């Protein structure tokens, strides 16, 4: 698996004249990793897989112009891929287990539990606990999900496990077209520490499966 995150920020003055010095597109921290699928052939309603990878410190240090695009990308994905734009000098290593169980076809439930280790150059290393619980609806005509994903700091920078954590309520719906699956999603940040910064997030996702 390879992920190339990028963020664009633009600012329009009065009369729709672009203020070019604030207009930036930056590349985030590139992710390289893989998935190990653990099949249970005696029970096809169970599916387990493990994700392991590394995020390289490829995002630029926030400057006067880059800082806006950096903040824009950072706030777009607070709970699941926070490291895509955070920690521009540092490496991060996620190790995440996923377990999907079919309740009654086409309804399933997905559990997600893992850690992310952040190796920092200029301050104390950090360790986060990741967690998630999502309900899935999957047919050949439509797919949807509703659940909660979050993270809490466990080690580094004097963490307060619950108060410093980030959780998001997530929902989405998509329509498969063979290998291509376009979808729309919406996210609501929970907790007083982050919902003052990010109220709602919504967008379009296009996935290619093979």
């Amino acid at each position: 698996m390879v992920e190339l995150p990028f963020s664009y920020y633009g600012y329009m003055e009065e009369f729709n004249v672009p203020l070019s010095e604030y207009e930036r597109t930056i590349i985030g921290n590139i992710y390289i990793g893989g998935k190990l699928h653990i099949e249970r052939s005696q029970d096809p309603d169970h599916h387990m897989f493990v994700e392991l990878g590394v995020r390289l410190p490829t995002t630029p240090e926030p400057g006067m112009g880059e800082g806006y695009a950096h903040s824009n990308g950072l706030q777009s994905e607070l709970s699941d891929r926070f490291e895509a734009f955070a920690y521009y000098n540092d490496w991060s290593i996620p190790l995440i287990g996923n377990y999907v169980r079919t309740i009654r076809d086409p309804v399933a439930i997905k559990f997600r539990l893992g850690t992310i280790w952040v190796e920092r150059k200029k301050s104390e290393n950090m360790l986060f606990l990741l967690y998630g619980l999502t309900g899935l609806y999957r047919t050949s005509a439509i797919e949807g999900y509703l659940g909660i994903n979050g993270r809490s700091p466990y080690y580094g920078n004097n963490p307060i496990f619950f108060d410093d954590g980030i959780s998001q309520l997530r929902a989405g719906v998509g329509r498969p077209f063979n290998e291509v699956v376009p979808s729309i999603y919406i996210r609501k940040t929970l907790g007083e520490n982050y919902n003052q910064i990010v109220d709602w997030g919504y967008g379009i996702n296009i996935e290619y499966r093979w």
Side-chain angles (χ1 to χ4, degrees), residues 87-102:
Y87 314 122
Y88 49 85
N89 282 323
D90 309 314
W91 299 71
S92 57
I93 302 173
L95 174 60
I96 307 167
N98 299 269
Y99 177 66
V100 181
R101 176 179 175 83
T102 300

Side-chain angles (χ1 to χ4, degrees), residues 13-197:
E13 277 190 327
E14 196 175 2
F15 307 117
N16 293 327
V17 178
L19 193 63
S20 58
E21 58 263 35
Y22 292 107
E23 202 167 8
R24 292 289 191 279
T25 299
I26 65 169
I27 300 296
N29 294 322
I30 297 173
Y31 174 80
I32 301 174
K35 288 183 180 180
L36 173 63
H37 290 266
I38 304 171
E39 303 291 347
R40 294 178 58 180
S41 57
Q42 69 273 23
D43 190 350
D45 289 337
H46 293 250
H47 181 207
M48 182 181 296
F49 61 95
V50 177
E51 304 171 57
L52 176 62
V54 60
R55 280 201 182 273
L56 311 177
T58 52
T59 191
E61 184 173 351
M64 184 59 184
E66 290 81 0
Y68 292 97
H70 180 273
S71 178
N72 195 48
L74 185 65
Q75 295 178 31
S76 68
E77 181 56 277
L78 287 171
S79 66
D80 215 21
R81 289 192 294 273
F82 184 76
E83 289 77 16
F85 291 93
Y87 314 122
Y88 49 85
N89 282 323
D90 309 314
W91 299 71
S92 57
I93 302 173
L95 174 60
I96 307 167
N98 299 269
Y99 177 66
V100 181
R101 176 179 175 83
T102 300
I103 299 175
R104 178 179 296 178
D105 195 43
V107 177
I109 191 168
K110 177 182 178 180
F111 300 93
R112 181 175 173 85
L113 186 64
T115 61
I116 290 185
W117 175 261
V118 182
E119 187 74 22
R120 310 202 67 183
K121 291 183 179 180
K122 298 182 178 181
S123 60
E124 190 175 10
N125 297 335
M126 300 186 69
L127 179 68
F128 293 90
L129 175 68
L130 302 184
Y131 47 88
L133 176 62
T134 305
L136 308 172
Y137 181 86
R138 301 169 296 181
T139 69
S140 59
I142 192 170
E143 298 181 0
Y145 66 88
L146 175 64
I148 293 179
N149 271 29
R151 66 165 59 215
S152 287
Y154 182 76
Y155 171 82
N157 292 348
N158 299 317
I160 302 176
F161 187 79
F162 289 107
D163 292 346
D164 293 341
I166 307 169
S167 295
Q168 283 185 328
L169 180 66
R170 297 162 169 250
V173 61
R175 172 69 165 88
F177 294 94
N178 297 321
E179 292 86 4
V180 180
V181 185
S183 62
I184 57 174
Y185 66 84
I186 188 169
R187 296 167 183 163
K188 170 65 175 175
T189 304
L190 307 176
E192 296 181 357
N193 52 347
Y194 280 94
N195 64 10
Q196 296 178 8
I197 303 173

